[in-house]
Amino acid sequence: MPDHPALPTAPTSPASPTVPTLPTLRGLGVCAGTAAGPVARMGRPPVMPAARAVVDTDLELSIVRLALKTLAADLAERAAGVSGQARDILDALSMMADDPLLAETVEQHVTSGVDAAHALARAIDDQAALLREGGGYLAERAADLEDLRDRAVATVLGVPMPGIPDPGHPFVLVADDLAPADTATLDPASVLALVTVRGGPTSHTAILARALGIPAVVAVPGALTLDDGTLISVDGTAGTIRVGVDPGEVSRPRRRAVQEIEPGRTKDGHPVPLLLNIGSAQDIRSDAEGVGLLRTEFLFLGRNDAPSVEEQRAAYGQIFGAFPGKKVVIRTLDAGADKPLPFLALPAEENPALGIRGLRTSRLLPDVLEDQLAAIALAASDTEARVWVMAPMVATAAEAARFAERARSHGLTTVGVMVEIPSAALQARRILEHVDFLSIGTNDLGQYTMAADRQDGRLADLLDPWQPALLELVAACARAGRDLGKPVGVCGEAAADPDLAAVLVGMGISTLSMAAAGVPAVAANLAEHTQAQCRDLAAAVLAAGSPQEARAQIPHPRL
Ligand code: PEP
Ligand code: MG
């Protein structure tokens, strides 16, 4: 057994006379399951060298420009190699590295005589400090920027990247905390368990561990005293780590945690189906109540040639086939802006988020939509899933009517549209006269309501899903649904906020759709509120004048 003088030894049960008590570390178990293996610690952030005088400003400028470009390209490449949430996180980091405003600030520092490494660190730290002042969700985004700073500095210094180690065998990853870029690309086949010094039940580490089913313990103060190679056993249910286990224990297979997905219902039994947001067959959880958002563009990202009807039929059929008898809401391609699809060869534009994206691409390429609707109808007829289809980025009742007509002409019976543009929310009643359901995409609805780019971490306060203007639009949609007797769901990130989920249900939202990892917490919170309590919460929140005031209406917040 290795010597660990710094480790606290805190056995809780009396030592058995025959089994020696191993040193035990304690923390917060955030993902159930057990695993044992050798420790491998996270790559450390680069050590900042002393500042040096800049002798050639042009050279220094080219160093920072190249570093930011290299970093953005590296993150984008890693994003392309993964899917779902991992891709979103890495793409967001890549975009942060590519942000012209960041480049401008860094260049200003260089021009005033600061060397490349310090100019990068200073510019990124300033942005992070602003976010930290905002607290809560904003402060979490500051950690993303700190990760970006370390990577940028490592790039200019030419030292190893901080991040996940690669010892060449399965290991227990021990870290201060996991940055999003690390958690995103973490390989569950080689990482047996996770142990971190920091983190809480809703931190990135916890969310990713649950999504990957890796036993995890966070908030373990002494974790970094563990040396690389030490054999430990991690119990993600009890929140304990036994140090110095014998090799026989290591060879036992990991007991993976499977977070059960329960059906959503309020305390008084009112059902609120909790559906999945998925981007590929990898995200399928057959124990879910169904799929509330299948982002079809994720199936074909990076393609230079258009997928044929048969190819699409097979891809959709694979997913529909996993949900016999259950609802699967499939969204037609939401290409453009932050989700470019090379095979569409859309013309470049000044303001892509306000340009040809989502359903609007069918103005230029009507056949792409026709082929997709045909493929969806064929795949639906191949399986037992109850397939609903919807279009993204609908602005008017006329667009909704046209889409419904095209979808129905292919034999699709349940046709809806997403509400992501304020005009659609304001016209919800008229739109619902033409379609069978609405699904509110609060990510884009927030972006367009607040005129705040959803990729821009600096505007996260405006993109807060508790913003009164956004919630008023959601409530208007729910009212329209109730008046016309048609379902209105939410499939943006707002649905995964357990407190907000109860508020949405109180507004009359009929289904909530989110990544699988979010379902247990939302189910647990709904189970603690009657429908009448949800309504009271909704009334109080809708009367609030700010996100802070809105959150303050929740007597026992979960987050
Ligand atoms: C949304 O905008 O809220 C949404 C669910 O769609 P996406 O995130 O794919 O744009
Ligand atoms: Mg959207």
Side-chain angles (χ1 to χ4, degrees):
M1 187 172 86
D3 186 21
H4 289 287
L7 292 175
T9 55
T12 48
S13 52
S16 112
T18 49
V19 182
T21 307
L22 294 173
T24 302
L25 300 180
R26 292 179 190 287
L28 187 63
V30 291
C31 186
T34 57
V39 166
R41 285 179 303 185
M42 193 76 160
R44 291 196 165 278
V47 177
M48 204 61 175
R52 60 180 168 77
V54 173
V55 275
D56 183 342
T57 305
D58 285 341
L59 176 65
E60 210 72 11
L61 282 172
S62 51
I63 291 173
V64 289
R65 285 181 194 134
L66 183 65
L68 287 173
K69 283 272 163 273
T70 310
L71 186 59
D74 174 54
L75 288 162
E77 194 184 313
R78 289 172 62 195
V82 292
S83 62
Q85 190 178 10
R87 183 189 285 265
D88 293 349
I89 293 169
L90 289 169
D91 271 337
L93 279 177
S94 169
M95 275 178 214
M96 285 183 197
D98 216 14
D99 179 3
L101 203 69
L102 174 64
E104 202 179 300
T105 318
V106 176
E107 287 172 20
Q108 277 165 5
H109 288 318
V110 170
T111 312
S112 66
V114 182
D115 68 72
H118 287 87
L120 284 162
R122 199 179 291 177
I124 301 175
D125 276 344
D126 285 351
Q127 283 194 3
L130 282 178
L131 293 184
R132 225 174 285 108
E133 275 170 24
Y137 173 80
L138 286 180
E140 279 176 32
R141 300 282 74 75
D144 297 357
L145 278 173
E146 283 165 11
D147 175 43
L148 191 71
R149 175 203 59 208
D150 290 343
R151 286 166 189 278
V153 170
T155 308
V156 287
L157 297 179
V159 300
M161 275 288 162
I164 309 260
D166 185 9
H169 52 71
F171 58 96
V172 177
L173 181 61
V174 174
D176 180 46
D177 199 2
L178 298 195
D182 300 318
T183 49
T185 49
L186 179 152
D187 175 10
S190 47
V191 177
L192 298 165
L194 287 172
V195 178
T196 63
V197 175
R198 290 195 281 162
T202 59
S203 62
H204 261 299
T205 309
I207 290 167
L208 264 290
R210 286 195 288 264
L212 297 171
I214 298 177
V217 183
V218 303
V220 183
L224 288 177
T225 61
L226 294 165
D227 291 327
D228 283 343
T230 306
L231 299 184
I232 64 172
S233 165
V234 178
D235 183 335
T237 313
T240 53
I241 296 118
R242 288 184 306 121
V243 182
V245 296
D246 80 40
E249 190 160 344
V250 172
S251 60
R252 277 182 221 148
R254 164 172 60 185
R255 274 201 292 115
R256 272 172 170 265
V258 180
Q259 278 261 323
E260 272 177 34
I261 293 191
E262 296 156 36
R265 55 186 68 247
T266 57
K267 194 173 179 181
D268 51 338
H270 167 68
V272 183
L274 302 178
L275 307 170
L276 296 187
N277 287 358
I278 68 174
S280 73
Q282 277 177 345
D283 304 332
I284 288 174
R285 285 282 301 262
S286 51
D287 51 347
E289 294 187 77
V291 173
L293 171 61
L294 166 53
R295 292 178 161 110
T296 54
E297 61 281 359
F298 285 174
L299 295 167
F300 306 114
L301 283 174
R303 288 274 301 248
N304 290 317
D305 54 327
S308 67
V309 170
E310 276 310 311
E311 193 182 342
Q312 292 187 57
R313 175 185 189 170
Y316 307 148
Q318 189 190 1
I319 293 170
F320 296 167
F323 297 96
K326 294 182 183 175
K327 177 162 101 178
V328 178
V329 185
I330 180 168
R331 176 173 79 182
T332 54
L333 293 174
D334 183 21
D338 52 330
K339 290 175 264 188
L341 285 184
F343 71 82
L344 293 180
L346 294 170
E349 43 187 327
E350 283 280 304
N351 290 309
L354 301 181
I356 305 290
R357 62 163 292 200
L359 180 64
R360 297 169 185 185
T361 55
S362 66
R363 296 172 182 224
L364 300 182
L365 303 162
D367 291 347
V368 173
L369 178 63
E370 293 301 321
D371 282 357
Q372 188 173 25
L373 291 171
I376 293 169
L378 287 167
S381 67
D382 293 339
T383 69
E384 305 285 303
R386 291 187 287 120
V387 175
W388 294 20
V389 65
M390 65 182 181
M393 292 295 294
V394 169
T396 67
E399 284 179 348
R402 166 91 186 137
F403 175 73
E405 181 266 313
R406 293 315 310 142
R408 291 190 181 116
S409 80
H410 288 271
L412 291 159
T413 50
T414 311
V415 184
V417 297
M418 289 193 69
V419 176
E420 301 177 281
I421 304 177
S423 63
L426 295 167
Q427 293 283 296
R429 206 174 298 265
R430 280 206 176 83
I431 289 178
L432 270 177
E433 285 167 10
H434 301 284
V435 297
D436 304 304
F437 70 95
L438 298 178
S439 180
I440 306 172
T442 47
N443 309 336
D444 274 316
L445 189 57
Q447 153 164 278
Y448 294 118
T449 301
M450 306 304 289
D453 185 342
R454 65 190 262 195
Q455 310 288 341
D456 192 336
R458 295 164 305 178
L459 305 177
D461 57 325
L462 298 175
L463 295 161
D464 187 329
W466 292 78
Q467 279 288 355
L470 173 63
L471 294 179
E472 234 176 86
L473 291 174
V474 173
C477 295
R479 273 197 303 275
R482 191 192 52 210
D483 293 351
L484 277 85
K486 294 186 178 181
V488 176
V490 169
C491 66
E493 287 307 307
D497 174 332
D499 293 322
L500 193 48
V503 172
L504 296 172
V505 169
M507 288 178 186
I509 292 299
S510 45
T511 55
L512 299 167
S513 191
M514 66 206 79
V519 175
V522 170
N525 200 43
L526 291 185
E528 284 174 16
H529 292 84
T530 62
Q531 214 180 347
Q533 285 171 326
C534 291
R535 282 197 202 107
D536 289 347
L537 288 177
V541 165
L542 283 169
S546 70
Q548 293 75 18
E549 206 190 313
R551 282 195 174 86
Q553 306 309 310
I554 308 298
H556 305 290
R558 282 191 166 252
L559 285 179

